[in-house]
PDB file of all heavy atoms in Angstrom:
ATOM      1  N   TYR A   1      23.159 -27.357 -24.976  1.00  0.00           N
ATOM      2  CA  TYR A   1      23.822 -26.099 -25.090  1.00  0.00           C
ATOM      3  C   TYR A   1      23.127 -25.126 -26.119  1.00  0.00           C
ATOM      4  O   TYR A   1      23.588 -24.060 -26.407  1.00  0.00           O
ATOM      5  CB  TYR A   1      25.305 -26.315 -25.504  1.00  0.00           C
ATOM      6  CG  TYR A   1      26.122 -26.895 -24.364  1.00  0.00           C
ATOM      7  CD1 TYR A   1      27.029 -27.925 -24.649  1.00  0.00           C
ATOM      8  CD2 TYR A   1      25.947 -26.430 -23.080  1.00  0.00           C
ATOM      9  CE1 TYR A   1      27.778 -28.468 -23.587  1.00  0.00           C
ATOM     10  CE2 TYR A   1      26.743 -26.934 -22.031  1.00  0.00           C
ATOM     11  CZ  TYR A   1      27.616 -27.954 -22.325  1.00  0.00           C
ATOM     12  OH  TYR A   1      28.353 -28.507 -21.300  1.00  0.00           O
ATOM     13  N   ASP A   2      21.987 -25.662 -26.608  1.00  0.00           N
ATOM     14  CA  ASP A   2      21.151 -24.798 -27.467  1.00  0.00           C
ATOM     15  C   ASP A   2      20.282 -23.942 -26.531  1.00  0.00           C
ATOM     16  O   ASP A   2      19.715 -24.409 -25.557  1.00  0.00           O
ATOM     17  CB  ASP A   2      20.242 -25.731 -28.284  1.00  0.00           C
ATOM     18  CG  ASP A   2      19.379 -24.944 -29.293  1.00  0.00           C
ATOM     19  OD1 ASP A   2      18.980 -23.833 -29.009  1.00  0.00           O
ATOM     20  OD2 ASP A   2      19.107 -25.496 -30.378  1.00  0.00           O
ATOM     21  N   ALA A   3      20.201 -22.659 -26.834  1.00  0.00           N
ATOM     22  CA  ALA A   3      19.429 -21.706 -25.982  1.00  0.00           C
ATOM     23  C   ALA A   3      18.031 -22.210 -25.776  1.00  0.00           C
ATOM     24  O   ALA A   3      17.434 -22.000 -24.736  1.00  0.00           O
ATOM     25  CB  ALA A   3      19.464 -20.296 -26.596  1.00  0.00           C
ATOM     26  N   LYS A   4      17.464 -22.861 -26.766  1.00  0.00           N
ATOM     27  CA  LYS A   4      16.068 -23.274 -26.679  1.00  0.00           C
ATOM     28  C   LYS A   4      15.857 -24.380 -25.663  1.00  0.00           C
ATOM     29  O   LYS A   4      14.737 -24.602 -25.146  1.00  0.00           O
ATOM     30  CB  LYS A   4      15.535 -23.735 -28.048  1.00  0.00           C
ATOM     31  CG  LYS A   4      15.472 -22.627 -29.109  1.00  0.00           C
ATOM     32  CD  LYS A   4      14.993 -23.144 -30.439  1.00  0.00           C
ATOM     33  CE  LYS A   4      14.961 -22.034 -31.472  1.00  0.00           C
ATOM     34  NZ  LYS A   4      14.565 -22.566 -32.798  1.00  0.00           N
ATOM     35  N   THR A   5      16.919 -25.139 -25.339  1.00  0.00           N
ATOM     36  CA  THR A   5      16.806 -26.218 -24.388  1.00  0.00           C
ATOM     37  C   THR A   5      17.537 -25.989 -23.087  1.00  0.00           C
ATOM     38  O   THR A   5      17.713 -26.869 -22.261  1.00  0.00           O
ATOM     39  CB  THR A   5      17.309 -27.542 -25.013  1.00  0.00           C
ATOM     40  OG1 THR A   5      18.639 -27.330 -25.483  1.00  0.00           O
ATOM     41  CG2 THR A   5      16.396 -27.990 -26.170  1.00  0.00           C
ATOM     42  N   ASP A   6      17.953 -24.745 -22.873  1.00  0.00           N
ATOM     43  CA  ASP A   6      18.683 -24.349 -21.665  1.00  0.00           C
ATOM     44  C   ASP A   6      17.768 -24.506 -20.415  1.00  0.00           C
ATOM     45  O   ASP A   6      16.649 -23.952 -20.388  1.00  0.00           O
ATOM     46  CB  ASP A   6      19.121 -22.852 -21.785  1.00  0.00           C
ATOM     47  CG  ASP A   6      19.809 -22.306 -20.521  1.00  0.00           C
ATOM     48  OD1 ASP A   6      20.043 -23.134 -19.581  1.00  0.00           O
ATOM     49  OD2 ASP A   6      20.055 -21.118 -20.506  1.00  0.00           O
ATOM     50  N   TYR A   7      18.155 -25.366 -19.469  1.00  0.00           N
ATOM     51  CA  TYR A   7      17.381 -25.648 -18.304  1.00  0.00           C
ATOM     52  C   TYR A   7      16.937 -24.376 -17.564  1.00  0.00           C
ATOM     53  O   TYR A   7      15.813 -24.293 -17.061  1.00  0.00           O
ATOM     54  CB  TYR A   7      18.204 -26.551 -17.384  1.00  0.00           C
ATOM     55  CG  TYR A   7      17.540 -27.004 -16.113  1.00  0.00           C
ATOM     56  CD1 TYR A   7      16.882 -28.242 -16.079  1.00  0.00           C
ATOM     57  CD2 TYR A   7      17.527 -26.213 -14.937  1.00  0.00           C
ATOM     58  CE1 TYR A   7      16.260 -28.677 -14.911  1.00  0.00           C
ATOM     59  CE2 TYR A   7      16.899 -26.673 -13.816  1.00  0.00           C
ATOM     60  CZ  TYR A   7      16.260 -27.882 -13.779  1.00  0.00           C
ATOM     61  OH  TYR A   7      15.667 -28.311 -12.620  1.00  0.00           O
ATOM     62  N   TRP A   8      17.855 -23.394 -17.504  1.00  0.00           N
ATOM     63  CA  TRP A   8      17.575 -22.139 -16.715  1.00  0.00           C
ATOM     64  C   TRP A   8      17.140 -21.002 -17.589  1.00  0.00           C
ATOM     65  O   TRP A   8      17.100 -19.855 -17.135  1.00  0.00           O
ATOM     66  CB  TRP A   8      18.848 -21.759 -15.986  1.00  0.00           C
ATOM     67  CG  TRP A   8      19.317 -22.786 -14.957  1.00  0.00           C
ATOM     68  CD1 TRP A   8      20.378 -23.619 -15.043  1.00  0.00           C
ATOM     69  CD2 TRP A   8      18.709 -23.043 -13.696  1.00  0.00           C
ATOM     70  NE1 TRP A   8      20.476 -24.395 -13.910  1.00  0.00           N
ATOM     71  CE2 TRP A   8      19.470 -24.059 -13.056  1.00  0.00           C
ATOM     72  CE3 TRP A   8      17.587 -22.488 -13.008  1.00  0.00           C
ATOM     73  CZ2 TRP A   8      19.151 -24.541 -11.809  1.00  0.00           C
ATOM     74  CZ3 TRP A   8      17.263 -23.006 -11.761  1.00  0.00           C
ATOM     75  CH2 TRP A   8      18.059 -24.016 -11.154  1.00  0.00           C
ATOM     76  N   ARG A   9      16.742 -21.290 -18.829  1.00  0.00           N
ATOM     77  CA  ARG A   9      16.454 -20.174 -19.772  1.00  0.00           C
ATOM     78  C   ARG A   9      15.366 -19.227 -19.159  1.00  0.00           C
ATOM     79  O   ARG A   9      15.507 -18.009 -19.268  1.00  0.00           O
ATOM     80  CB  ARG A   9      15.987 -20.777 -21.086  1.00  0.00           C
ATOM     81  CG  ARG A   9      15.752 -19.688 -22.157  1.00  0.00           C
ATOM     82  CD  ARG A   9      15.186 -20.339 -23.404  1.00  0.00           C
ATOM     83  NE  ARG A   9      15.010 -19.351 -24.506  1.00  0.00           N
ATOM     84  CZ  ARG A   9      14.251 -19.527 -25.549  1.00  0.00           C
ATOM     85  NH1 ARG A   9      13.572 -20.634 -25.671  1.00  0.00           N
ATOM     86  NH2 ARG A   9      14.159 -18.589 -26.452  1.00  0.00           N
ATOM     87  N   ARG A  10      14.281 -19.792 -18.674  1.00  0.00           N
ATOM     88  CA  ARG A  10      13.208 -18.932 -18.180  1.00  0.00           C
ATOM     89  C   ARG A  10      13.621 -18.043 -17.060  1.00  0.00           C
ATOM     90  O   ARG A  10      13.203 -16.903 -16.927  1.00  0.00           O
ATOM     91  CB  ARG A  10      11.975 -19.793 -17.817  1.00  0.00           C
ATOM     92  CG  ARG A  10      11.261 -20.379 -19.009  1.00  0.00           C
ATOM     93  CD  ARG A  10       9.870 -20.834 -18.640  1.00  0.00           C
ATOM     94  NE  ARG A  10       9.158 -21.304 -19.826  1.00  0.00           N
ATOM     95  CZ  ARG A  10       7.893 -21.729 -19.785  1.00  0.00           C
ATOM     96  NH1 ARG A  10       7.234 -21.764 -18.610  1.00  0.00           N
ATOM     97  NH2 ARG A  10       7.305 -22.179 -20.886  1.00  0.00           N
ATOM     98  N   LEU A  11      14.457 -18.585 -16.180  1.00  0.00           N
ATOM     99  CA  LEU A  11      14.948 -17.781 -15.041  1.00  0.00           C
ATOM    100  C   LEU A  11      15.879 -16.661 -15.562  1.00  0.00           C
ATOM    101  O   LEU A  11      15.751 -15.516 -15.066  1.00  0.00           O
ATOM    102  CB  LEU A  11      15.667 -18.673 -14.019  1.00  0.00           C
ATOM    103  CG  LEU A  11      16.184 -17.884 -12.821  1.00  0.00           C
ATOM    104  CD1 LEU A  11      15.105 -17.127 -12.101  1.00  0.00           C
ATOM    105  CD2 LEU A  11      16.844 -18.894 -11.812  1.00  0.00           C
ATOM    106  N   ARG A  12      16.781 -16.956 -16.428  1.00  0.00           N
ATOM    107  CA  ARG A  12      17.648 -15.957 -17.002  1.00  0.00           C
ATOM    108  C   ARG A  12      16.789 -14.830 -17.603  1.00  0.00           C
ATOM    109  O   ARG A  12      17.071 -13.613 -17.379  1.00  0.00           O
ATOM    110  CB  ARG A  12      18.555 -16.518 -18.085  1.00  0.00           C
ATOM    111  CG  ARG A  12      19.568 -17.555 -17.589  1.00  0.00           C
ATOM    112  CD  ARG A  12      20.466 -18.015 -18.761  1.00  0.00           C
ATOM    113  NE  ARG A  12      21.158 -19.262 -18.439  1.00  0.00           N
ATOM    114  CZ  ARG A  12      22.281 -19.272 -17.681  1.00  0.00           C
ATOM    115  NH1 ARG A  12      22.780 -18.200 -17.205  1.00  0.00           N
ATOM    116  NH2 ARG A  12      22.833 -20.420 -17.406  1.00  0.00           N
ATOM    117  N   GLN A  13      15.825 -15.200 -18.449  1.00  0.00           N
ATOM    118  CA  GLN A  13      14.964 -14.228 -19.029  1.00  0.00           C
ATOM    119  C   GLN A  13      14.238 -13.373 -18.074  1.00  0.00           C
ATOM    120  O   GLN A  13      14.047 -12.155 -18.209  1.00  0.00           O
ATOM    121  CB  GLN A  13      14.028 -14.901 -20.066  1.00  0.00           C
ATOM    122  CG  GLN A  13      14.683 -15.522 -21.239  1.00  0.00           C
ATOM    123  CD  GLN A  13      13.716 -16.269 -22.112  1.00  0.00           C
ATOM    124  OE1 GLN A  13      12.706 -16.832 -21.700  1.00  0.00           O
ATOM    125  NE2 GLN A  13      14.019 -16.302 -23.442  1.00  0.00           N
ATOM    126  N   ALA A  14      13.748 -14.038 -16.983  1.00  0.00           N
ATOM    127  CA  ALA A  14      12.995 -13.287 -15.957  1.00  0.00           C
ATOM    128  C   ALA A  14      13.858 -12.314 -15.241  1.00  0.00           C
ATOM    129  O   ALA A  14      13.409 -11.191 -14.883  1.00  0.00           O
ATOM    130  CB  ALA A  14      12.391 -14.302 -14.952  1.00  0.00           C
ATOM    131  N   ILE A  15      15.120 -12.700 -14.894  1.00  0.00           N
ATOM    132  CA  ILE A  15      15.992 -11.801 -14.225  1.00  0.00           C
ATOM    133  C   ILE A  15      16.334 -10.596 -15.132  1.00  0.00           C
ATOM    134  O   ILE A  15      16.405  -9.474 -14.612  1.00  0.00           O
ATOM    135  CB  ILE A  15      17.274 -12.577 -13.769  1.00  0.00           C
ATOM    136  CG1 ILE A  15      16.952 -13.539 -12.646  1.00  0.00           C
ATOM    137  CG2 ILE A  15      18.332 -11.554 -13.224  1.00  0.00           C
ATOM    138  CD1 ILE A  15      18.097 -14.475 -12.203  1.00  0.00           C
ATOM    139  N   ILE A  16      16.587 -10.836 -16.391  1.00  0.00           N
ATOM    140  CA  ILE A  16      16.885  -9.754 -17.289  1.00  0.00           C
ATOM    141  C   ILE A  16      15.733  -8.797 -17.355  1.00  0.00           C
ATOM    142  O   ILE A  16      15.841  -7.589 -17.242  1.00  0.00           O
ATOM    143  CB  ILE A  16      17.208 -10.296 -18.737  1.00  0.00           C
ATOM    144  CG1 ILE A  16      18.538 -11.079 -18.691  1.00  0.00           C
ATOM    145  CG2 ILE A  16      17.287  -9.159 -19.735  1.00  0.00           C
ATOM    146  CD1 ILE A  16      18.764 -11.922 -19.944  1.00  0.00           C
ATOM    147  N   SER A  17      14.497  -9.378 -17.499  1.00  0.00           N
ATOM    148  CA  SER A  17      13.300  -8.537 -17.593  1.00  0.00           C
ATOM    149  C   SER A  17      13.054  -7.770 -16.297  1.00  0.00           C
ATOM    150  O   SER A  17      12.662  -6.597 -16.307  1.00  0.00           O
ATOM    151  CB  SER A  17      12.075  -9.406 -17.873  1.00  0.00           C
ATOM    152  OG  SER A  17      10.920  -8.702 -17.923  1.00  0.00           O
ATOM    153  N   PHE A  18      13.344  -8.410 -15.172  1.00  0.00           N
ATOM    154  CA  PHE A  18      13.170  -7.777 -13.881  1.00  0.00           C
ATOM    155  C   PHE A  18      13.968  -6.497 -13.781  1.00  0.00           C
ATOM    156  O   PHE A  18      13.468  -5.456 -13.325  1.00  0.00           O
ATOM    157  CB  PHE A  18      13.596  -8.730 -12.743  1.00  0.00           C
ATOM    158  CG  PHE A  18      13.701  -8.135 -11.379  1.00  0.00           C
ATOM    159  CD1 PHE A  18      12.587  -7.964 -10.591  1.00  0.00           C
ATOM    160  CD2 PHE A  18      14.954  -7.706 -10.899  1.00  0.00           C
ATOM    161  CE1 PHE A  18      12.712  -7.418  -9.322  1.00  0.00           C
ATOM    162  CE2 PHE A  18      15.070  -7.132  -9.638  1.00  0.00           C
ATOM    163  CZ  PHE A  18      13.932  -6.986  -8.847  1.00  0.00           C
ATOM    164  N   HIS A  19      15.213  -6.549 -14.248  1.00  0.00           N
ATOM    165  CA  HIS A  19      16.095  -5.324 -14.167  1.00  0.00           C
ATOM    166  C   HIS A  19      15.768  -4.337 -15.248  1.00  0.00           C
ATOM    167  O   HIS A  19      15.765  -3.123 -15.011  1.00  0.00           O
ATOM    168  CB  HIS A  19      17.540  -5.777 -14.220  1.00  0.00           C
ATOM    169  CG  HIS A  19      18.003  -6.471 -12.980  1.00  0.00           C
ATOM    170  ND1 HIS A  19      18.165  -5.813 -11.772  1.00  0.00           N
ATOM    171  CD2 HIS A  19      18.362  -7.773 -12.783  1.00  0.00           C
ATOM    172  CE1 HIS A  19      18.576  -6.644 -10.838  1.00  0.00           C
ATOM    173  NE2 HIS A  19      18.701  -7.855 -11.377  1.00  0.00           N
ATOM    174  N   LYS A  20      15.531  -4.797 -16.466  1.00  0.00           N
ATOM    175  CA  LYS A  20      15.235  -3.892 -17.577  1.00  0.00           C
ATOM    176  C   LYS A  20      13.949  -3.151 -17.363  1.00  0.00           C
ATOM    177  O   LYS A  20      13.876  -1.901 -17.652  1.00  0.00           O
ATOM    178  CB  LYS A  20      15.160  -4.645 -18.912  1.00  0.00           C
ATOM    179  CG  LYS A  20      16.500  -5.115 -19.463  1.00  0.00           C
ATOM    180  CD  LYS A  20      16.348  -5.844 -20.759  1.00  0.00           C
ATOM    181  CE  LYS A  20      15.982  -4.925 -21.889  1.00  0.00           C
ATOM    182  NZ  LYS A  20      16.015  -5.628 -23.242  1.00  0.00           N
ATOM    183  N   ASN A  21      12.958  -3.789 -16.850  1.00  0.00           N
ATOM    184  CA  ASN A  21      11.622  -3.227 -16.706  1.00  0.00           C
ATOM    185  C   ASN A  21      11.208  -2.834 -15.329  1.00  0.00           C
ATOM    186  O   ASN A  21      10.096  -2.519 -15.049  1.00  0.00           O
ATOM    187  CB  ASN A  21      10.589  -4.203 -17.278  1.00  0.00           C
ATOM    188  CG  ASN A  21      10.881  -4.545 -18.711  1.00  0.00           C
ATOM    189  OD1 ASN A  21      11.134  -3.703 -19.559  1.00  0.00           O
ATOM    190  ND2 ASN A  21      10.864  -5.893 -19.016  1.00  0.00           N
ATOM    191  N   VAL A  22      12.194  -2.840 -14.378  1.00  0.00           N
ATOM    192  CA  VAL A  22      11.999  -2.463 -12.995  1.00  0.00           C
ATOM    193  C   VAL A  22      10.788  -3.287 -12.444  1.00  0.00           C
ATOM    194  O   VAL A  22       9.820  -2.767 -11.999  1.00  0.00           O
ATOM    195  CB  VAL A  22      11.758  -0.954 -12.794  1.00  0.00           C
ATOM    196  CG1 VAL A  22      11.834  -0.610 -11.298  1.00  0.00           C
ATOM    197  CG2 VAL A  22      12.734  -0.138 -13.579  1.00  0.00           C
ATOM    198  N   GLY A  23      10.945  -4.600 -12.563  1.00  0.00           N
ATOM    199  CA  GLY A  23       9.908  -5.497 -12.095  1.00  0.00           C
ATOM    200  C   GLY A  23       9.826  -5.677 -10.589  1.00  0.00           C
ATOM    201  O   GLY A  23      10.572  -5.050  -9.849  1.00  0.00           O
ATOM    202  N   SER A  24       8.934  -6.551 -10.148  1.00  0.00           N
ATOM    203  CA  SER A  24       8.732  -6.780  -8.762  1.00  0.00           C
ATOM    204  C   SER A  24       9.299  -8.148  -8.332  1.00  0.00           C
ATOM    205  O   SER A  24       9.490  -9.036  -9.203  1.00  0.00           O
ATOM    206  CB  SER A  24       7.263  -6.693  -8.371  1.00  0.00           C
ATOM    207  OG  SER A  24       6.583  -7.809  -8.923  1.00  0.00           O
ATOM    208  N   ILE A  25       9.497  -8.320  -7.040  1.00  0.00           N
ATOM    209  CA  ILE A  25       9.962  -9.629  -6.507  1.00  0.00           C
ATOM    210  C   ILE A  25       8.941 -10.682  -6.872  1.00  0.00           C
ATOM    211  O   ILE A  25       9.264 -11.846  -7.209  1.00  0.00           O
ATOM    212  CB  ILE A  25      10.163  -9.575  -5.032  1.00  0.00           C
ATOM    213  CG1 ILE A  25      11.318  -8.640  -4.679  1.00  0.00           C
ATOM    214  CG2 ILE A  25      10.446 -10.966  -4.466  1.00  0.00           C
ATOM    215  CD1 ILE A  25      12.655  -8.991  -5.232  1.00  0.00           C
ATOM    216  N   ASP A  26       7.675 -10.297  -6.888  1.00  0.00           N
ATOM    217  CA  ASP A  26       6.597 -11.308  -7.198  1.00  0.00           C
ATOM    218  C   ASP A  26       6.741 -11.814  -8.633  1.00  0.00           C
ATOM    219  O   ASP A  26       6.403 -12.979  -8.940  1.00  0.00           O
ATOM    220  CB  ASP A  26       5.206 -10.662  -7.009  1.00  0.00           C
ATOM    221  CG  ASP A  26       4.825 -10.543  -5.533  1.00  0.00           C
ATOM    222  OD1 ASP A  26       5.430 -11.230  -4.688  1.00  0.00           O
ATOM    223  OD2 ASP A  26       4.018  -9.714  -5.250  1.00  0.00           O
ATOM    224  N   ASP A  27       7.219 -10.913  -9.524  1.00  0.00           N
ATOM    225  CA  ASP A  27       7.447 -11.363 -10.897  1.00  0.00           C
ATOM    226  C   ASP A  27       8.439 -12.489 -10.963  1.00  0.00           C
ATOM    227  O   ASP A  27       8.297 -13.476 -11.729  1.00  0.00           O
ATOM    228  CB  ASP A  27       7.958 -10.181 -11.765  1.00  0.00           C
ATOM    229  CG  ASP A  27       6.908  -9.076 -11.967  1.00  0.00           C
ATOM    230  OD1 ASP A  27       5.742  -9.390 -11.887  1.00  0.00           O
ATOM    231  OD2 ASP A  27       7.315  -7.921 -12.132  1.00  0.00           O
ATOM    232  N   LEU A  28       9.503 -12.400 -10.161  1.00  0.00           N
ATOM    233  CA  LEU A  28      10.536 -13.447 -10.123  1.00  0.00           C
ATOM    234  C   LEU A  28       9.926 -14.739  -9.490  1.00  0.00           C
ATOM    235  O   LEU A  28      10.171 -15.822 -10.039  1.00  0.00           O
ATOM    236  CB  LEU A  28      11.759 -13.020  -9.322  1.00  0.00           C
ATOM    237  CG  LEU A  28      12.622 -11.926  -9.915  1.00  0.00           C
ATOM    238  CD1 LEU A  28      13.729 -11.557  -8.917  1.00  0.00           C
ATOM    239  CD2 LEU A  28      13.193 -12.366 -11.212  1.00  0.00           C
TER     240      LEU A  28
END
């Protein structure tokens, strides 16, 4: 339950970045 060991942390961060920075599907 520590953010640093969250199994899905990288995906959460990628989805946030995708929307904040108007990313591409390839980024995901």
Side-chain angles (χ1 to χ4, degrees):
Y1 290 137
D2 186 326
K4 294 179 181 178
T5 54
D6 178 5
Y7 183 95
W8 297 106
R9 185 185 183 199
R10 288 196 177 183
L11 180 55
R12 294 181 197 282
Q13 291 176 332
I15 292 174
I16 293 168
S17 178
F18 170 82
H19 289 291
K20 286 181 72 172
N21 303 312
V22 193
S24 69
I25 295 298
D26 286 339
D27 293 333
L28 290 177

